[in-house]
Amino acid sequence: MTETDAALRTLAHNVRAARTRAGLSLDELGRRAKVSKGALVALEKAQGNPNFATLVRLADTLGVSVSALMEGRTEGRVRVVTADTMMPLWTGEQGGEARLMLTTSGPAPVEVWRWQLRPGEEYPSHPHQAGVVETISVTSGGMTLVVDGAEHSVEAGQTAAFDGDSPHAYRGTGTETCHLIMTVHLPPGPASTA
């Protein structure tokens, strides 16, 4: 079994388990997450190839982190993760990328991401569930953070925080690649059933 096959099997198992825990049918999960039933059936059979936006919508709808859908069981009290061992979950047209490094455990998990944005490259994000807070810490280069249509410049050495339940986007600026660490702070408890 290839590494990709193993990752798809883990994802399939975790999506099915989270859907069952939430008491959702495939139809209802698809409706809430805006994912077709056919895509969900394929995903739960480890035959799908979901994109990053689909994984985020599923995680938000199921009230779990993206990495909770992707990771197998963890062992030990300390996890050390190297960026080059994590597959990019988003790759931009100019070579930028986003890698989900890990998610902390507990009632209010935090996802830790490493991003690279090339100048002019943009990633638009749909709104997350209510209570999600994101932080962006730029380590080199610069970017524009767009929240609810308002643009905010974030340069190397600066950190921005915002509520993730509104439309937002990340755009590389300047002449060099922007490197940043993003954290996504998830609210405690399951997602709203509304």
Side-chain angles (χ1 to χ4, degrees), residues 27-50:
D27 287 325
E28 185 61 15
L29 176 59
R31 184 186 68 75
R32 291 183 188 185
K34 297 179 176 68
V35 176
S36 74
K37 181 179 178 181
L40 287 174
V41 168
L43 178 61
E44 288 194 5
K45 290 182 176 180
Q47 298 170 343
N49 185 17

Side-chain angles (χ1 to χ4, degrees), residues 135-158:
T135 66
I136 305 285
S137 296
V138 176
T139 58
S140 67
M143 66 168 293
T144 298
L145 171 64
V146 183
V147 179
D148 267 340
E151 295 188 358
H152 308 273
S153 178
V154 187
E155 301 297 328
Q158 295 180 326

Side-chain angles (χ1 to χ4, degrees), residues 140-189:
S140 67
M143 66 168 293
T144 298
L145 171 64
V146 183
V147 179
D148 267 340
E151 295 188 358
H152 308 273
S153 178
V154 187
E155 301 297 328
Q158 295 180 326
T159 299
F162 64 97
D163 293 334
D165 60 354
S166 57
H168 53 281
Y170 325 108
R171 183 182 323 124
T173 58
T175 59
E176 65 181 274
T177 299
C178 175
H179 294 264
L180 63 100
I181 303 295
M182 175 178 34
T183 60
V184 180
H185 302 259
L186 304 169

Side-chain angles (χ1 to χ4, degrees), residues 120-138:
E121 196 166 45
E122 182 170 326
Y123 176 79
S125 179
H126 75 284
H128 302 294
Q129 63 178 308
V132 170
V133 174
E134 291 191 24
T135 66
I136 305 285
S137 296
V138 176

Side-chain angles (χ1 to χ4, degrees), residues 83-127:
D84 61 358
T85 64
M86 305 306 294
M87 291 177 36
L89 292 179
W90 171 78
T91 303
E93 292 180 4
Q94 298 172 22
E97 62 182 28
R99 295 175 190 256
L100 177 58
M101 300 305 295
L102 62 85
T103 302
T104 63
S105 57
V110 177
E111 297 176 349
V112 179
W113 293 80
R114 280 196 166 177
W115 282 75
Q116 293 179 25
L117 292 168
R118 305 281 192 240
E121 196 166 45
E122 182 170 326
Y123 176 79
S125 179
H126 75 284

